Amino acid sequence: MKYVKESAILFGITLVGELMNLLLPLPVPAGVYGLLLLLVLLCSGILKLDQVEATGNFLLEIMPILFIPAAVGLMESVDAMRAILVPMLVVCTVSTIIVMITTGKVTELILAFGEKEVREYDEHHKKDKNNSNRSTGTNKNKGGR
Amino acid sequence: MSAVQSSLYLGFVLSLLAYLFGAWLKKKFGWAILNPLLISVILVIVILKIFHIDYETYNNSGKYISYLLTPSTVCLAIPLYKQLELLMKNAVAVIASIIAGVIASAGSIFVLCTVFGLSHQEYVTFLPKSITTAIGMGVSEQAGGVVTLTVVCIIITGIFGNIVADAVFAIARIKHPVARGLALGTSAHAIGTAKALELGEVEGAMSSLAIAVAGLLTVIIVPMISGLI
């Protein structure tokens, strides 16, 4: 019954998200409402991770496949695209690379700045093991790999 | 052929097999261009063309695949929850970089549209291209864009982001998992997040968060800048 229960919970949350999307006058899609709802339920302890994790991980694993039908649908839009194909492709590719680099670099700059502050703070207070503090910042982030 | 036309499982099986084939190719050769999603999309289109199956027939079962997208998006809360501590610790970096990404998106689209001399309608059609389809469609419609073309741009952007991420991260030397996740989610929404989840749990969590935040920020920023062209 594990998967039945998990599916009931996850699809139930999806349903609530869908209803919120239909009833509330905000431009928030059903999936984002559901995401926030599931996050709140997990954080508040109302739901435990192991009550949704098996089915949840299945849905996350198949996620790329779920985009195939929509992407195959591009073959239907060939005529609409033809007129502005070149500018469209240039905008989509160039702008995506710019956004990716900007976001990533700004994150790294701020993180590096934060770590530097921690380091200076440690040095200022003459903590004897500032080496260990310095490395926690970078090591912890490799945890998820 | 009519049996094929009325099949409810053909599109489903075709999509799964095409993806498995794409994943196998990628594993065998290891080239970034052999992105399983890209391979499977091309493969499905080619097969549909060869056997004269129209998209509608394929989508009879394809729509049940798309149907799972919303619950799958909900599940992005799981990696996010697991990495919540890391998120809180880096809250400033997270928010600032997503804002920077959204501004970079609007700014670069404005510049490129000016260079190409595009119309207002084309400009606002492109503006929501980096955010998730469900939000992007509404943004495009509100601003007076062509919604179907916006969807095309969103999908092209997502797949492109998914493919180039490894190369961009290597060339720009973006190494931090938090930075990689935020970059993927902000630039290439959910399709980029699928890639982020492959990179690791931290990347996946940050990317999931970026979809929601970047989407909502874009809703706010587009009406402010849509009058520029």
Side-chain angles (χ1 to χ4, degrees):
Chain A
M1 289 300 270
K2 182 180 172 60
Y3 290 99
V4 178
K5 277 186 198 158
E6 293 199 6
S7 302
I9 293 171
L10 288 172
F11 280 82
I13 292 172
T14 308
L15 169 67
V16 175
E18 188 189 28
L19 293 176
M20 288 171 80
N21 170 259
L22 294 173
L23 296 174
L24 299 177
L26 298 172
V28 177
V32 173
Y33 275 129
L35 190 163
L36 296 174
L37 196 60
L38 177 55
L39 191 63
V40 168
L41 290 172
L42 288 170
C43 288
S44 62
I46 296 171
L47 272 181
K48 295 272 172 292
L49 200 53
D50 60 12
Q51 288 175 292
V52 291
E53 210 179 7
T55 308
N57 284 338
F58 166 73
L59 283 169
L60 288 174
E61 190 188 316
I62 62 166
M63 196 174 194
I65 297 165
L66 308 183
F67 294 108
I68 296 177
V72 171
L74 294 185
M75 68 190 250
E76 294 287 277
S77 310
V78 172
D79 289 332
M81 292 192 292
R82 196 161 287 152
I84 52 162
L85 189 63
V86 173
M88 190 178 83
L89 288 179
V90 173
V91 170
C92 287
T93 51
V94 174
S95 157
T96 302
I97 291 175
I98 292 173
V99 177
M100 205 178 269
I101 294 177
T102 307
T103 314
K105 277 294 168 194
V106 169
T107 316
E108 287 198 330
L109 277 175
I110 299 176
L111 290 179
F113 184 71
E115 277 173 14
K116 197 178 144 210
E117 286 215 318
V118 170
R119 212 149 50 213
E120 279 167 1
Y121 178 87
D122 288 344
E123 277 161 17
H124 187 71
H125 286 256
K126 298 213 162 43
K127 282 197 179 169
D128 44 355
K129 298 227 169 180
N130 76 351
N131 261 347
S132 68
N133 263 333
R134 206 168 86 195
S135 49
T136 31
T138 37
N139 276 348
K140 234 182 194 172
N141 299 318
K142 285 172 190 159
R145 291 196 163 231
Chain B
M1 217 47 170
S2 67
V4 170
Q5 294 287 340
S6 57
S7 168
L8 267 183
Y9 295 96
L10 177 79
F12 212 138
V13 174
L14 193 58
S15 306
L16 291 177
L17 289 179
Y19 193 83
L20 282 175
F21 178 71
W24 175 81
L25 268 187
K26 168 93 194 209
K27 202 175 165 198
K28 177 139 179 134
F29 295 99
W31 304 335
I33 189 70
L34 295 175
N35 179 283
L37 181 59
L38 180 69
I39 299 288
S40 44
V41 170
I42 294 172
L43 200 61
V44 171
I45 291 179
V46 168
I47 290 172
L48 294 184
K49 289 282 183 206
I50 290 176
F51 293 98
H52 300 290
I53 303 168
D54 54 27
Y55 178 69
E56 216 171 303
T57 308
Y58 164 76
N59 205 34
N60 266 338
S61 70
K63 67 182 177 218
Y64 295 107
I65 304 181
S66 312
Y67 172 81
L68 289 172
L69 254 180
T70 311
S72 178
T73 309
V74 173
C75 292
L76 290 171
I78 293 173
L80 201 52
Y81 172 69
K82 287 186 187 163
Q83 300 297 332
L84 205 62
E85 202 184 319
L86 183 65
L87 169 69
M88 292 305 182
K89 208 181 106 205
N90 298 314
V92 175
V94 168
I95 298 296
S97 58
I98 298 175
I99 292 175
V102 170
I103 293 172
S105 172
S108 58
I109 292 168
F110 169 73
V111 170
L112 289 166
C113 287
T114 309
V115 169
F116 282 110
L118 299 183
S119 69
H120 169 78
Q121 193 185 42
E122 286 156 343
Y123 169 57
V124 292
T125 297
F126 294 154
L127 273 179
K129 71 156 200 45
S130 273
I131 63 175
T132 191
T133 322
I135 307 182
M137 286 170 74
V139 171
S140 172
E141 197 179 359
Q142 285 284 313
V146 185
V147 176
T148 49
L149 273 182
T150 299
V151 174
V152 170
C153 292
I154 290 174
I155 293 168
I156 291 176
T157 297
I159 294 183
F160 180 73
N162 184 309
I163 297 170
V164 294
D166 286 325
V168 169
F169 292 155
I171 293 166
R173 294 205 200 88
I174 296 169
K175 293 181 185 130
H176 205 294
V178 174
R180 289 180 166 199
L182 293 174
L184 268 164
T186 310
S187 64
H189 52 92
I191 308 183
T193 301
K195 172 73 186 178
L197 284 166
E198 284 170 23
L199 294 178
E201 195 164 74
V202 175
E203 287 90 333
M206 294 301 148
S207 192
S208 315
L209 180 77
I211 298 178
V213 179
L216 297 177
L217 281 175
T218 305
V219 171
I220 299 170
I221 201 177
V222 165
M224 302 195 302
I225 56 158
S226 60
L228 290 179
I229 293 183

